Amino acid sequence: MAHLYSRTHSRFWWISYRDPATGRVVRRSTGIALDAAGAKQRANAMLFERQRAELDAPTVREPERWERWVSEFLDQRYEHSPKTLQRVRQCWAALSVYLTERAVKVPRALTYRVCADYVTWRTHGVKGRKAVHHNTAVVEMKFFGVIMREAVRSGLAPGNPVREVELRRLPAKEKDEIGIEDQRRIERALVDAPAWMRDHWLVLMKTGCRSDEAFVPMERINWTDHTMLLRLKGGRLHATPMHPDVIALAAERRRGGHALLIDRPRYAPKLWWQFFRGLRMQFSIHCTRVTVITRLLRAGCTTAQVCQLIGHTEEVNRIYRRLKASDARPLVSLL
């Protein structure tokens, strides 16, 4: 409990108390001189505030603390989805900083207001903390909702206040289709680019897979029917046919004894972003997926066929296509 005292060689009253946020004992001067008028009364007023803060802070039992169970829970829940686990750990790292700042050491101390303020806190960079996009903060809160659901089920919290917060994502900027002339310009520039970048571009433009899915282990290539297994979101493996150019690349890599179809660099999306900015283009490497899907649909392929190639559901396919009114013009003559 907080208490007031004097120290040798100090002319001020001192106060000792346990910080509700850290649980550590803090000793500091009140700044009130021992011999000042009404000094004891003013120092006692400060003491009372500290005592009340200690009493209001929930009693923390060690097994309830976030650090005692959350990491283990995440490891178990996402054991078979390593990419999701990595993303969730990043989310939890940011949430942990926030909860520490708000002195929320256990799930039952979480309130609606703390949850509601998170997105604002996360999207404003202060004290050296990098601000993130609104949608990133919303995703982090959704993961937090999963953590709190486990807390409720485990009897560590009476309810899940994250569920009461309205979490709405802002419309994401649509990724553009890469036109033929832009493609030619990009491929001319790729002649002088690193080998991994040329190979990456080839695989993406010939399969429509996601950027990270293109780094296929050679052991997942079936040489009998020339298919390769892509690891999709959620960890599911999806077999997709290989274009003749991709088969030629794979054969060359096999002769070289490589473990991956494409050498994986660090931060590939960032390197591509720098590449496109160097060409004064507003594309990202994810535009290749939009381009492949749109071109196949424009060429008359069915949605089901495109989904089978890409590994999409039809709903996701709808999000990626960039067909225009002019693409439907030939249909008019059939009516």
Side-chain angles (χ1 to χ4, degrees):
M1 183 64 71
H3 67 279
L4 197 67
Y5 64 101
S6 61
R7 293 179 64 168
T8 306
H9 308 305
S10 174
R11 64 188 186 90
F12 298 109
W13 284 106
W14 283 68
I15 190 170
S16 172
Y17 61 92
R18 188 173 296 278
D19 188 337
T22 64
R24 297 178 179 176
V25 174
V26 177
R27 297 177 178 84
R28 68 180 184 86
S29 171
T30 64
I32 302 173
L34 294 168
D35 56 355
K40 189 68 177 286
Q41 290 82 352
R42 286 187 289 147
N44 276 325
M46 293 181 65
L47 173 65
F48 174 73
E49 290 181 6
R50 290 299 176 184
Q51 289 176 337
R52 184 173 60 183
E54 287 185 358
L55 292 173
D56 289 344
T59 303
V60 176
R61 291 188 288 272
E62 195 63 24
E64 296 181 357
R65 289 180 177 273
W66 303 106
E67 59 269 23
R68 292 297 300 275
W69 64 275
V70 172
S71 293
E72 182 180 356
F73 163 68
L74 296 178
D75 288 344
Q76 291 176 351
R77 179 178 175 83
Y78 301 104
E79 178 182 2
H80 302 294
S81 302
K83 292 181 182 178
T84 304
L85 177 59
Q86 181 182 9
R87 179 71 183 96
V88 171
R89 283 174 175 166
Q90 293 171 348
C91 294
W92 178 240
L95 287 161
S96 296
V97 173
Y98 178 69
L99 294 171
T100 299
E101 284 190 15
R102 292 301 183 97
V104 180
K105 293 180 282 188
V106 292
R108 56 193 169 85
L110 187 67
T111 64
Y112 166 82
R113 178 44 51 196
V114 171
C115 296
D117 290 345
Y118 179 76
V119 172
T120 301
W121 176 87
R122 190 74 169 99
T123 53
H124 289 74
V126 295
K127 298 179 181 178
R129 173 172 46 80
K130 183 180 178 181
V132 300
H133 189 273
H134 172 89
N135 289 353
T136 300
V138 169
V139 169
E140 291 172 351
M141 279 300 289
K142 288 185 179 296
F143 276 125
F144 191 28
V146 173
I147 292 171
M148 281 303 299
R149 184 175 64 191
E150 175 66 13
V152 173
R153 290 173 174 174
S154 301
L156 302 178
N160 185 352
V162 179
R163 296 180 58 186
E164 306 302 321
V165 182
E166 293 187 11
L167 299 172
R168 295 184 179 179
R169 296 176 56 139
L170 299 178
K173 180 182 180 297
E174 285 194 347
K175 296 174 177 61
D176 298 325
E177 177 189 359
I178 300 172
I180 296 298
E181 289 304 318
D182 284 330
Q183 180 180 347
R184 289 171 180 163
R185 184 182 167 199
I186 290 167
E187 291 175 352
R188 285 196 296 269
L190 283 172
V191 172
D192 299 321
W196 76 265
M197 193 170 274
R198 293 193 296 272
D199 295 342
H200 198 209
W201 174 265
L202 169 67
V203 173
L204 295 179
M205 290 297 287
K206 298 300 184 182
T207 66
C209 66
R210 294 183 179 88
S211 172
D212 196 55
E213 294 168 0
F215 300 101
V216 180
M218 295 297 292
E219 62 190 24
R220 290 202 203 131
I221 293 178
N222 187 321
W223 293 98
T224 302
D225 59 4
H226 290 123
T227 60
M228 57 184 180
L229 291 176
L230 306 178
R231 185 170 292 282
L232 307 183
K233 283 186 176 180
R236 180 171 64 92
L237 290 175
H238 173 75
T240 191
M242 298 169 66
H243 186 278
D245 291 347
V246 177
I247 295 174
L249 171 63
E252 180 183 344
R253 298 288 289 179
R254 182 168 65 169
R255 287 193 296 271
H258 297 281
L260 297 176
L261 179 61
I262 305 166
D263 292 328
R264 183 191 291 271
R266 292 189 66 185
Y267 311 120
K270 181 179 180 180
L271 294 173
W272 276 111
W273 182 88
Q274 293 171 343
F275 172 83
F276 287 122
R277 290 306 173 274
L279 295 177
R280 298 186 181 279
M281 291 180 165
Q282 297 302 311
F283 297 125
S284 73
I285 194 58
H286 304 294
C287 294
T288 56
R289 191 168 175 83
V290 169
T291 302
V292 170
I293 291 172
T294 304
R295 288 182 182 179
L296 291 176
L297 292 173
R298 189 178 290 131
C301 300
T302 67
T303 302
Q305 288 174 318
V306 175
C307 287
Q308 180 56 41
L309 174 69
I310 304 298
H312 265 171
T313 64
E314 293 199 17
E315 177 63 22
V316 175
N317 185 283
R318 180 188 63 77
I319 296 172
Y320 275 83
R321 65 193 182 208
R322 294 293 179 271
L323 297 177
K324 303 175 182 177
S326 58
D327 295 309
R329 187 170 299 281
L331 302 180
V332 176
S333 61
L334 302 177
L335 300 176

